[in-house]
Amino acid sequence: METQAIHTTASSTRLHMIKRGMIAGFPIMLGYLPIALTYGVLASRTGMTNLELTLMSVLVFAGAAQFLAVGMVATGTGMIEIIIATFVLNFRHFVMSLSFVNRLKGVALRAKLPLTFGLTDETFTMSALYKDEAKEKYGSLFYASLILTAYLSWVGGSYLGGVLGDVMPARLSDSMGVALYAMFIGLLIPSVKKDFKIAGIAVLAMLINFICQYWGMSQGWAIVMGTVLAGFSGIWLLEDEEVTE
Amino acid sequence: MIIWMVIGMAVVTAVPRFLPALIVGFVTFPKWVDRWLNAIPYAALGALIFPGIMSVKPDAPQIGVIAGLVGIFLAWLNVHIIFVVFGAIASVFLMTL
């Protein structure tokens, strides 16, 4: 009797965490779908097969880099150049992953490692703001389902874009280009309201990114510079978090 | 040909993503490094928002900026993030009618 009761609670907590992760991932899904559809349409127009363009979403799972690659394929750029450009553009995930795994110290490597493969700008920033889940039981399930929600909508949207072609009215899909930016704003503002110094960190990152790009640095390195350098200001601006263990 | 490009892109994207998981487990960082890493999400959000948001309509950068201000306003009122996103989409839609 007793063990059964415990079992029920455990599985309902698991299910509960998965459900919460899906809800947290829903705004990302909303932002990804129109962009993934657009990617699929553009990629199929450059002559990539549906298998190739879907496989790219499955294996790479990085929006900006995939658009860049499609654009470079269209202009006949060489493979090595495309791969190098992808590395530069996606190197920011290294910094994000450092911050992500540092939060998940209590999680076993075999659970943590697969999660890191799903880190994007969106899944990272969303997960980072749900930081308490890292300390909860089955916390890794929460992050796994958040990331899977985003991943499946990206992969599914890419495939649909390749198969269906232009289904969305151009004006609507144009307007939806602002969705992910709005999501980033919606993630940042609640933290700023709690601690105004966070606005300082974010604005500093904006300025560094802007200046670096103005000086001609590639977008990829400029975002890395903005993130890393403005992050340093946190050494003085942020307080230590109490260790709960 | 495309398939090798995809595999190459996958490798150079995946390695920076998973490498920290292998490093961080074995090193204990001093407290200031923890504070730096805790600031990374906020810094990343800043760098991801600006100046990128000006390219929502590359020929009219003010449209992205105004939509962003609408987003800030809605988020400030504690509106749920889904409606912050909808609000910004709607304002771009209206501005480009």
Side-chain angles (χ1 to χ4, degrees), chain B residues 63-87:
Chain B
I63 288 184
V65 174
I66 295 170
L69 293 175
V70 171
I72 293 175
F73 177 73
L74 291 174
W76 204 268
L77 298 176
N78 299 327
V79 169
H80 191 274
I81 189 160
I82 294 280
F83 299 105
V84 174
V85 172
F86 280 138

Side-chain angles (χ1 to χ4, degrees), chain A residues 26 55 60-61 90 94 97 99 102-103 116-117 119 121 174-175 181 193 205-206 209 227-228 231-232 235 238 240, chain B residues 3 5 13 16-18 20-21 31 34-39 41 43 46-48 50-52 57 76 78 82 88 93:
Chain A
F26 184 71
L55 198 66
V60 181
F61 186 37
N90 286 342
F94 178 79
S97 179
S99 172
N102 196 44
R103 280 255 178 246
T116 59
F117 284 102
L119 284 179
D121 300 338
D174 277 3
S175 309
Y181 294 110
K193 282 178 77 176
M206 292 182 187
N209 181 15
T227 306
V228 170
F232 279 129
I235 297 172
L238 294 185
D240 283 321
Chain B
I3 204 80
M5 179 188 86
T13 305
R17 275 177 179 162
F18 77 74
K31 280 202 160 165
D34 274 341
R35 290 202 298 276
W36 172 57
L37 291 176
N38 288 342
L48 290 168
F50 187 84
K57 284 272 162 204
W76 204 268
N78 299 327
I82 294 280
F93 189 79

Side-chain angles (χ1 to χ4, degrees), chain A residues 27-209:
Chain A
I28 305 180
M29 184 181 191
L30 205 70
Y32 273 3
L33 274 177
I35 298 176
L37 282 169
T38 313
Y39 157 77
V41 173
L42 285 178
S44 67
R45 266 193 214 144
T46 61
M48 285 171 73
T49 65
N50 286 333
L51 178 68
E52 287 166 344
L53 68 88
T54 310
L55 198 66
M56 193 193 274
S57 286
V58 169
L59 294 177
V60 181
F61 186 37
Q66 290 181 228
F67 272 101
L68 186 78
V70 166
M72 288 172 94
V73 167
T75 55
T77 313
M79 184 169 91
I80 301 296
E81 273 173 80
I82 294 177
I83 293 172
I84 292 171
T86 302
F87 174 76
V88 169
L89 195 57
N90 286 342
F91 188 75
R92 60 180 185 274
H93 297 140
F94 178 79
V95 187
M96 295 180 185
S97 179
L98 269 179
S99 172
F100 180 72
V101 294
N102 196 44
R103 280 255 178 246
L104 298 183
K105 272 187 197 131
V107 175
L109 184 64
R110 67 189 149 79
K112 209 158 35 181
L113 199 63
L115 291 180
T116 59
F117 284 102
L119 284 179
T120 62
D121 300 338
E122 294 76 21
T123 57
F124 165 70
T125 48
M126 188 64 85
S127 307
L129 297 174
Y130 283 92
K131 56 186 174 198
D132 295 334
E133 276 75 0
K135 291 173 197 144
E136 285 177 36
K137 213 177 169 205
Y138 304 122
S140 50
L141 278 182
F142 170 83
Y143 297 112
S145 94
L146 186 163
I147 288 170
L148 270 179
T149 304
Y151 183 68
L152 294 177
S153 50
W154 180 252
V155 172
S158 310
Y159 174 74
L160 283 180
V163 174
L164 302 177
D166 270 322
V167 277
M168 277 218 291
R171 183 169 288 147
L172 186 62
S173 65
D174 277 3
S175 309
M176 290 184 91
V178 80
L180 290 178
Y181 294 110
M183 193 188 89
F184 293 140
I185 289 171
L187 289 174
L188 183 60
I189 296 298
S191 308
V192 169
K193 282 178 77 176
K194 260 184 250 159
D195 183 355
F196 214 74
K197 281 177 270 180
I198 285 170
I201 299 173
V203 169
L204 190 62
M206 292 182 187
L207 288 176
I208 294 171
N209 181 15

Side-chain angles (χ1 to χ4, degrees), chain B residues 17-65:
Chain B
R17 275 177 179 162
F18 77 74
L19 213 53
L22 302 180
I23 305 169
V24 173
F26 300 98
V27 196
T28 319
F29 290 128
K31 280 202 160 165
W32 66 268
V33 176
D34 274 341
R35 290 202 298 276
W36 172 57
L37 291 176
N38 288 342
I40 292 294
Y42 308 120
L45 283 170
L48 290 168
I49 293 167
F50 187 84
I53 197 163
M54 295 198 296
S55 62
V56 169
K57 284 272 162 204
D59 46 329
Q62 74 279 7
I63 288 184
V65 174

